[in-house]
Amino acid sequence: MDMTIPESERLQFMQDMQTALSQTPKRISPKYFYDQAGSALFDSICELPEYYPTRTELSILQSHAADMSACMGENPDIIEFGAGSLQKIRYLLNVARNPARYVPMDISGPHLKAASAELQTEFVSLKILPVVADYTNPWHLPSALPGTGKRVAFFPGSTIGNFSPAQAHTFFQNCVQHLRGGALLLGVDLIKSPDVLHAAYNDSQGVTAAFNLNILTRANRELGCDFDLTQFAHSAFYNAPLKRIEMHLLSLKSQIVHLNGVPYAFEQGETLHTEYSHKFTIAGVQQAAHAAGLETGPIWTDPQQYFGLFWLTIP
Ligand code: AVJ
């Protein structure tokens, strides 16, 4: 068993895995993808030819960063959720007018610390305050610096798509509570051809499969589980009526897996659900934002309308 991670985190994972395996259907939160290996695999996904969201969002940021900066105004206090490798924020930091501070929030501590240190070498005088936190729980932010501009939260990558509609609503409500007078810059994957969507989650090199299966590797290492990695398969498909990619780990045979000595049965064909990745229409995003009390501003998109960046203000 791995003793290098904090015991409280390990216990939380253990509890959540226990709940996951006891449920019908079985399901675990996608946040458990992002251990060190999983974060590195996700970075590889972002480079895949089939995975268009990252490069499309970057191209939109590149083309429209100046307009976004104008919306952010003078001295913005910039927060980022699920900051990951801190690649996207560079486009905004390059054009931001005297940013007061940059607060990247991410669940993967070592990954975030390393990326923040690297960013600091490029933006020497920027105040960077990394926060290792799970923003799917109610979050709290470091107090605003006195005399600074708007609080602007950046939530790129369509990570909001991981949330159920109810969770997305709660997230928007948290934004309203914490960002009064400020704004949310939200990156969202838009509905497009099912073939394009399918390919993005079923890449030919099998990186997404490895990313999905890594959750079992992690459970074996950190929790002492005995998942047989050869007897589970990556399964990802577009559920059009519910507007989402669903990722599952599919049991290839009838088998028993143990956690803390307790047996959990998988039937052949039964799945452990690992992720939703919801896709949106422009109107759908605006409706969801309005419902939680945000107001809609400019939308920046690419020529194919594959991806959108939405400026949503908090009155
Ligand atoms: C980071 C949640 C936006 O849903 O596309 C990529 C994660 N999963 N490939 C997504 C992911 C499989 C990604 N998000």
Side-chain angles (χ1 to χ4, degrees), residues 278-310:
H278 286 87
K279 310 302 168 188
F280 300 84
T281 61
I282 287 176
V285 174
Q286 295 186 321
Q287 267 163 30
H290 281 151
L294 292 98
E295 289 173 2
T296 52
I299 304 164
W300 298 281
T301 184
D302 55 292
Q304 297 187 97
Q305 300 223 354
Y306 270 16
F307 202 93
L309 278 152
F310 291 72

Short mmCIF file of all heavy atoms in Angstrom, two decimals, residues 278-310:
data_model
loop_
_atom_site.label_atom_id
_atom_site.label_comp_id
_atom_site.label_asym_id
_atom_site.label_seq_id
_atom_site.Cartn_x
_atom_site.Cartn_y
_atom_site.Cartn_z
N HIS A 278 -20.56 16.37 -20.01
CA HIS A 278 -21.73 16.96 -20.67
C HIS A 278 -21.30 17.93 -21.77
O HIS A 278 -20.28 18.61 -21.65
CB HIS A 278 -22.59 17.71 -19.64
CG HIS A 278 -23.36 16.78 -18.75
ND1 HIS A 278 -22.84 16.27 -17.59
CD2 HIS A 278 -24.61 16.26 -18.86
CE1 HIS A 278 -23.72 15.47 -17.02
NE2 HIS A 278 -24.81 15.44 -17.77
N LYS A 279 -22.11 17.97 -22.81
CA LYS A 279 -21.92 18.90 -23.93
C LYS A 279 -23.11 19.84 -23.95
O LYS A 279 -24.20 19.46 -23.52
CB LYS A 279 -21.81 18.11 -25.25
CG LYS A 279 -20.80 16.95 -25.20
CD LYS A 279 -19.39 17.41 -24.84
CE LYS A 279 -18.48 16.24 -24.51
NZ LYS A 279 -17.16 16.67 -23.98
N PHE A 280 -22.90 21.05 -24.45
CA PHE A 280 -23.91 22.10 -24.26
C PHE A 280 -24.21 22.83 -25.56
O PHE A 280 -23.36 22.91 -26.46
CB PHE A 280 -23.39 23.14 -23.25
CG PHE A 280 -23.08 22.58 -21.89
CD1 PHE A 280 -21.84 21.98 -21.63
CD2 PHE A 280 -24.01 22.63 -20.86
CE1 PHE A 280 -21.54 21.45 -20.38
CE2 PHE A 280 -23.72 22.10 -19.61
CZ PHE A 280 -22.49 21.51 -19.36
N THR A 281 -25.39 23.43 -25.61
CA THR A 281 -25.67 24.43 -26.63
C THR A 281 -25.38 25.79 -26.00
O THR A 281 -25.34 25.90 -24.76
CB THR A 281 -27.16 24.40 -27.06
OG1 THR A 281 -27.97 24.68 -25.92
CG2 THR A 281 -27.54 23.03 -27.63
N ILE A 282 -25.20 26.80 -26.84
CA ILE A 282 -24.96 28.14 -26.31
C ILE A 282 -26.15 28.58 -25.44
O ILE A 282 -25.97 29.07 -24.32
CB ILE A 282 -24.70 29.13 -27.46
CG1 ILE A 282 -23.29 28.85 -28.04
CG2 ILE A 282 -24.82 30.59 -26.99
CD1 ILE A 282 -22.91 29.69 -29.24
N ALA A 283 -27.36 28.34 -25.94
CA ALA A 283 -28.56 28.72 -25.17
C ALA A 283 -28.64 27.95 -23.86
O ALA A 283 -29.07 28.51 -22.84
CB ALA A 283 -29.81 28.48 -26.02
N GLY A 284 -28.21 26.70 -23.88
CA GLY A 284 -28.25 25.88 -22.66
C GLY A 284 -27.37 26.43 -21.56
O GLY A 284 -27.75 26.46 -20.39
N VAL A 285 -26.16 26.87 -21.94
CA VAL A 285 -25.25 27.47 -20.96
C VAL A 285 -25.87 28.74 -20.39
O VAL A 285 -25.86 28.97 -19.17
CB VAL A 285 -23.88 27.81 -21.60
CG1 VAL A 285 -22.99 28.56 -20.61
CG2 VAL A 285 -23.19 26.55 -22.09
N GLN A 286 -26.42 29.56 -21.27
CA GLN A 286 -26.97 30.84 -20.82
C GLN A 286 -28.15 30.64 -19.88
O GLN A 286 -28.27 31.32 -18.87
CB GLN A 286 -27.35 31.69 -22.04
CG GLN A 286 -26.09 32.05 -22.84
CD GLN A 286 -26.35 33.00 -23.98
OE1 GLN A 286 -27.37 32.88 -24.65
NE2 GLN A 286 -25.44 33.93 -24.20
N GLN A 287 -29.00 29.66 -20.22
CA GLN A 287 -30.15 29.36 -19.34
C GLN A 287 -29.69 28.91 -17.96
O GLN A 287 -30.20 29.36 -16.94
CB GLN A 287 -30.99 28.24 -19.96
CG GLN A 287 -32.14 28.74 -20.82
CD GLN A 287 -32.66 27.62 -21.71
OE1 GLN A 287 -32.60 26.44 -21.36
NE2 GLN A 287 -33.17 28.00 -22.88
N ALA A 288 -28.70 27.98 -17.95
CA ALA A 288 -28.22 27.45 -16.68
C ALA A 288 -27.60 28.57 -15.84
O ALA A 288 -27.78 28.62 -14.62
CB ALA A 288 -27.20 26.34 -16.92
N ALA A 289 -26.88 29.48 -16.48
CA ALA A 289 -26.25 30.59 -15.77
C ALA A 289 -27.31 31.54 -15.19
O ALA A 289 -27.26 31.91 -14.02
CB ALA A 289 -25.30 31.34 -16.70
N HIS A 290 -28.28 31.89 -16.01
CA HIS A 290 -29.37 32.77 -15.56
C HIS A 290 -30.10 32.19 -14.37
O HIS A 290 -30.43 32.90 -13.41
CB HIS A 290 -30.38 33.00 -16.69
CG HIS A 290 -29.93 34.02 -17.69
ND1 HIS A 290 -30.32 33.99 -19.01
CD2 HIS A 290 -29.10 35.08 -17.57
CE1 HIS A 290 -29.76 34.99 -19.66
NE2 HIS A 290 -29.00 35.67 -18.81
N ALA A 291 -30.34 30.88 -14.44
CA ALA A 291 -31.12 30.21 -13.38
C ALA A 291 -30.45 30.36 -12.02
O ALA A 291 -31.12 30.31 -10.99
CB ALA A 291 -31.31 28.75 -13.73
N ALA A 292 -29.13 30.54 -12.02
CA ALA A 292 -28.41 30.67 -10.74
C ALA A 292 -28.10 32.13 -10.41
O ALA A 292 -27.46 32.42 -9.39
CB ALA A 292 -27.11 29.86 -10.79
N GLY A 293 -28.52 33.06 -11.26
CA GLY A 293 -28.35 34.48 -10.95
C GLY A 293 -27.15 35.14 -11.62
O GLY A 293 -26.79 36.26 -11.26
N LEU A 294 -26.54 34.46 -12.60
CA LEU A 294 -25.47 35.11 -13.35
C LEU A 294 -26.07 35.80 -14.57
O LEU A 294 -27.15 35.42 -15.04
CB LEU A 294 -24.42 34.10 -13.80
CG LEU A 294 -23.60 33.47 -12.67
CD1 LEU A 294 -24.16 32.12 -12.30
CD2 LEU A 294 -22.14 33.32 -13.08
N GLU A 295 -25.34 36.79 -15.09
CA GLU A 295 -25.79 37.48 -16.30
C GLU A 295 -24.83 37.16 -17.43
O GLU A 295 -23.64 36.95 -17.21
CB GLU A 295 -25.87 38.99 -16.04
CG GLU A 295 -27.04 39.29 -15.12
CD GLU A 295 -27.12 40.74 -14.66
OE1 GLU A 295 -26.28 41.56 -15.08
OE2 GLU A 295 -28.04 41.03 -13.87
N THR A 296 -25.37 37.12 -18.65
CA THR A 296 -24.53 36.68 -19.76
C THR A 296 -23.95 37.86 -20.53
O THR A 296 -24.62 38.87 -20.74
CB THR A 296 -25.34 35.77 -20.71
OG1 THR A 296 -26.55 36.44 -21.06
CG2 THR A 296 -25.69 34.47 -20.03
N GLY A 297 -22.70 37.70 -20.88
CA GLY A 297 -21.99 38.72 -21.64
C GLY A 297 -21.48 38.14 -22.95
O GLY A 297 -22.13 37.26 -23.53
N PRO A 298 -20.31 38.58 -23.40
CA PRO A 298 -19.77 38.09 -24.67
C PRO A 298 -19.50 36.58 -24.66
O PRO A 298 -19.25 36.00 -23.61
CB PRO A 298 -18.46 38.85 -24.82
CG PRO A 298 -18.49 39.95 -23.84
CD PRO A 298 -19.47 39.59 -22.78
N ILE A 299 -19.56 35.99 -25.86
CA ILE A 299 -19.18 34.59 -26.05
C ILE A 299 -18.12 34.58 -27.15
O ILE A 299 -18.31 35.21 -28.19
CB ILE A 299 -20.37 33.75 -26.54
CG1 ILE A 299 -21.54 33.85 -25.58
CG2 ILE A 299 -19.96 32.30 -26.73
CD1 ILE A 299 -22.85 33.37 -26.19
N TRP A 300 -17.04 33.89 -26.89
CA TRP A 300 -16.02 33.74 -27.92
C TRP A 300 -15.98 32.28 -28.35
O TRP A 300 -16.01 31.38 -27.50
CB TRP A 300 -14.66 34.17 -27.36
CG TRP A 300 -14.63 35.61 -26.96
CD1 TRP A 300 -14.50 36.70 -27.78
CD2 TRP A 300 -14.74 36.13 -25.61
NE1 TRP A 300 -14.53 37.86 -27.03
CE2 TRP A 300 -14.66 37.55 -25.71
CE3 TRP A 300 -14.88 35.57 -24.35
CZ2 TRP A 300 -14.73 38.38 -24.59
CZ3 TRP A 300 -14.96 36.39 -23.23
CH2 TRP A 300 -14.88 37.78 -23.36
N THR A 301 -15.92 32.06 -29.65
CA THR A 301 -15.91 30.68 -30.12
C THR A 301 -14.97 30.55 -31.32
O THR A 301 -14.37 31.52 -31.77
CB THR A 301 -17.36 30.22 -30.42
OG1 THR A 301 -17.34 28.85 -30.79
CG2 THR A 301 -18.00 31.04 -31.52
N ASP A 302 -14.79 29.31 -31.80
CA ASP A 302 -13.94 29.04 -32.95
C ASP A 302 -14.82 28.98 -34.20
O ASP A 302 -16.04 28.89 -34.08
CB ASP A 302 -13.22 27.70 -32.75
CG ASP A 302 -14.21 26.57 -32.46
OD1 ASP A 302 -14.84 26.61 -31.38
OD2 ASP A 302 -14.40 25.70 -33.33
N PRO A 303 -14.22 29.01 -35.40
CA PRO A 303 -15.03 29.03 -36.62
C PRO A 303 -15.98 27.83 -36.75
O PRO A 303 -17.07 27.97 -37.29
CB PRO A 303 -13.99 29.01 -37.74
CG PRO A 303 -12.74 29.56 -37.14
CD PRO A 303 -12.78 29.18 -35.68
N GLN A 304 -15.60 26.67 -36.21
CA GLN A 304 -16.49 25.49 -36.31
C GLN A 304 -17.52 25.44 -35.17
O GLN A 304 -18.33 24.53 -35.13
CB GLN A 304 -15.66 24.21 -36.26
CG GLN A 304 -14.69 24.05 -37.40
CD GLN A 304 -14.05 22.67 -37.37
OE1 GLN A 304 -14.47 21.75 -38.06
NE2 GLN A 304 -13.03 22.52 -36.53
N GLN A 305 -17.41 26.38 -34.23
CA GLN A 305 -18.26 26.38 -33.02
C GLN A 305 -18.16 25.05 -32.27
O GLN A 305 -19.16 24.48 -31.85
CB GLN A 305 -19.71 26.68 -33.38
CG GLN A 305 -19.86 28.05 -34.03
CD GLN A 305 -21.07 28.83 -33.51
OE1 GLN A 305 -21.88 28.35 -32.74
NE2 GLN A 305 -21.18 30.07 -33.94
N TYR A 306 -16.93 24.57 -32.14
CA TYR A 306 -16.68 23.35 -31.36
C TYR A 306 -16.67 23.64 -29.86
O TYR A 306 -16.96 22.78 -29.04
CB TYR A 306 -15.32 22.74 -31.76
CG TYR A 306 -15.39 21.75 -32.89
CD1 TYR A 306 -16.51 21.66 -33.71
CD2 TYR A 306 -14.31 20.89 -33.14
CE1 TYR A 306 -16.56 20.74 -34.75
CE2 TYR A 306 -14.36 19.96 -34.16
CZ TYR A 306 -15.48 19.89 -34.97
OH TYR A 306 -15.52 18.96 -35.98
N PHE A 307 -16.27 24.86 -29.52
CA PHE A 307 -16.01 25.18 -28.11
C PHE A 307 -16.36 26.64 -27.88
O PHE A 307 -16.23 27.46 -28.79
CB PHE A 307 -14.52 24.93 -27.82
CG PHE A 307 -14.20 24.72 -26.37
CD1 PHE A 307 -14.16 23.44 -25.83
CD2 PHE A 307 -13.96 25.81 -25.53
CE1 PHE A 307 -13.89 23.25 -24.49
CE2 PHE A 307 -13.69 25.61 -24.18
CZ PHE A 307 -13.64 24.33 -23.66
N GLY A 308 -16.81 26.97 -26.67
CA GLY A 308 -17.15 28.35 -26.38
C GLY A 308 -16.56 28.83 -25.07
O GLY A 308 -16.45 28.06 -24.12
N LEU A 309 -16.14 30.08 -25.05
CA LEU A 309 -15.75 30.73 -23.79
C LEU A 309 -16.79 31.80 -23.51
O LEU A 309 -17.03 32.69 -24.32
CB LEU A 309 -14.34 31.33 -23.93
CG LEU A 309 -13.23 30.29 -23.70
CD1 LEU A 309 -11.97 30.66 -24.47
CD2 LEU A 309 -12.91 30.17 -22.22
N PHE A 310 -17.40 31.70 -22.33
CA PHE A 310 -18.54 32.54 -21.96
C PHE A 310 -18.12 33.50 -20.85
O PHE A 310 -17.57 33.08 -19.83
CB PHE A 310 -19.70 31.68 -21.42
CG PHE A 310 -20.37 30.83 -22.46
CD1 PHE A 310 -19.73 29.72 -23.00
CD2 PHE A 310 -21.66 31.11 -22.88
CE1 PHE A 310 -20.35 28.92 -23.95
CE2 PHE A 310 -22.30 30.31 -23.83
CZ PHE A 310 -21.64 29.22 -24.37
#
